[in-house]
Amino acid sequence: MEEHKSALIAMSGGVDSSAAAYLMLSAGYRCQGATMRLLRGDDGRNAADAEAVCQRLGIPFTALDMAAEFEKAVIEKFVRVYQAGGTPNPCVDCNRRMKFSHLLEAAEAAGLYYVATGHYARADRDPETGRRLLKKALDLQKDQSYFLYTLTQDQLARVQFPLGGMEKRRVRELAESLGFVNARRRDSQDVCFIPDGDYGAFIEAWTGQPFPAGDFLDREGRVVGRHRGAVRYTLGQRKGLGLAMGEPVYVCGKDMAAGTVTVGPESALYAREILVEDLNWISIEGLDAPLRAGAKTRSRQAEQAAELFPEAGGRVRVVFDRTQRAVTPGQAAVFYDGDSVVGGGTITEVFKEDGYGL
């Protein structure tokens, strides 16, 4: 319908969201650009680049100050999960708690129907069930559906992903041809609020509490060295341990209460079974019987064949056909049927092949 030919464009200041704005405008939508200011004291470059693109396209632009909400919904959870020994995924939380909820509210306030983003994914509709679908991007190297599994049916009905059918190189070529200031800007690779990647230093600064040094333990509980604070180590880590044990060892467990980090051989990292909570289902209403699916526990891995079993309290037990390396509590497990996202949730328990759980 004509009243639906309008969109708020979520603009990060990068090339993808800029190209998305052009494509929506070219498709006949009435558009407005919007940048969410998520960090206190940022240099304003993202908003300035986004505004410059909007001026070139001749569409209005607005900046939304969401720093306080971002700290509460994303940063504080990130710190809390790390303190508990998990490894959170702040990009998933940002999409769930910030971007799509707040941007849809901003679109409605501006009299706009859709929110369009520069994500590499596709939104569709199942003609048989009528359910809204989230699908992988055609450029599988850039696919971001893993980070979007929390989208609800209502949100998917109001979201558009104009880049879902494009290759990244074509997006850059388009931006260059349009003279966008950010056409060659590098993609962000780090957590936006920790650009140097030093999670431990960030958490210590945020909380004002240094994490004490403690013992490295082997799998039998014997002290084999000293670490610089358990929060600084992640499951599967090999580099930077400073241990000479005659063979490579990896972080395979942490006890935050005791302040210990357990190390062991690579074989200690493998598991076939995990427990997942806080589920969001997309292609199905819910899980009431075992289901075969592909499952990802990291964004860049190919999905792995698995069986999903419903558990009490809405949880799901995932049993993989083959053992998986370094599956980490706090991360997302996302389930696929071909190129469609079935659903996903947060990994809360990992059951190791040798009985050593996380």
Side-chain angles (χ1 to χ4, degrees), residues 174-194:
L174 175 63
E176 284 192 324
S177 71
L178 295 168
F180 288 167
V181 296
N182 51 19
R184 284 292 160 185
R185 184 170 167 180
R186 292 181 59 187
D187 293 342
S188 174
Q189 300 294 328
D190 301 304
V191 173
C192 66
F193 54 91
I194 315 179

Side-chain angles (χ1 to χ4, degrees), residues 252-285:
C252 55
K254 296 194 295 184
D255 185 331
M256 300 303 290
T260 59
V261 176
T262 299
V263 297
E266 186 177 20
S267 60
L269 298 176
Y270 287 84
R272 282 193 63 203
E273 188 172 332
I274 62 176
L275 196 64
V276 181
E277 298 183 3
D278 196 18
L279 276 296
N280 181 61
W281 299 106
I282 295 180
S283 67
I284 61 176
E285 290 188 13

